[in-house]
Amino acid sequence: MKIVMAIIKPFKLEEVRDALTAIGVHGLTVTEVKGYGRQKGHTEIYRGAEYAVSFLPKIKIEVAIATEQVEKTIEAITSAAKTGQIGDGKIFVIGLDHAVRIRTGEADAAAL
């Protein structure tokens, strides 16, 4: 089992969710986050004053999946979230040792 974590642009959330649903991934966790990578933020002008925005708004999506689904999941997220511009995001894959569904007590793959 693996956790696939993707950091994407906020306006791409619905497209990514639809792409994941299309390949059979039905459960995901979404968190609004802020950060920066190579973009290093940007400057904005507000009421005539210029100020630096160091952290940009992003969306973090986490999906627990079977190991066999990792490549399909990465492809789905990549194709749905890609704009070709800087700041499209990153995908991380993390090992998942154990999972339990609280309601039924099912464990590991059955809990996904």
Side-chain angles (χ1 to χ4, degrees), residues 15-16 19-20 23 70-81 91:
E15 290 177 51
V16 170
L20 289 172
I23 63 164
V70 170
E71 290 306 317
K72 282 198 317 188
T73 302
I74 290 172
E75 289 171 19
I77 294 170
T78 302
S79 63
I91 298 174

Side-chain angles (χ1 to χ4, degrees), residues 26 28 57 104:
H26 298 292
L28 62 123
T104 62

Side-chain angles (χ1 to χ4, degrees), residues 17-33:
R17 187 188 67 151
D18 293 343
L20 289 172
T21 302
I23 63 164
V25 176
H26 298 292
L28 62 123
T29 302
V30 176
T31 311
E32 293 181 8
V33 295

Side-chain angles (χ1 to χ4, degrees), residues 1-7 20 25 27-31 60-71 73-74 77 90-100 108 112:
M1 297 179 301
K2 302 285 185 182
I3 292 181
V4 175
M5 180 175 41
I7 311 294
L20 289 172
V25 176
L28 62 123
T29 302
V30 176
T31 311
K60 179 167 75 169
I61 299 171
E62 295 172 296
V63 193
I65 56 172
T67 304
E68 308 81 65
Q69 290 183 297
V70 170
E71 290 306 317
T73 302
I74 290 172
I77 294 170
K90 297 251 186 332
I91 298 174
F92 305 99
V93 179
I94 304 163
L96 179 60
D97 294 332
H98 193 59
V100 176
D108 300 330
L112 300 179

Side-chain angles (χ1 to χ4, degrees), residues 8-16 57 59 80-83 88:
I8 62 169
K9 292 182 175 182
F11 65 89
K12 287 294 194 172
L13 177 59
E14 289 302 317
E15 290 177 51
V16 170
I59 295 289
K82 185 175 183 178
T83 66
D88 274 352

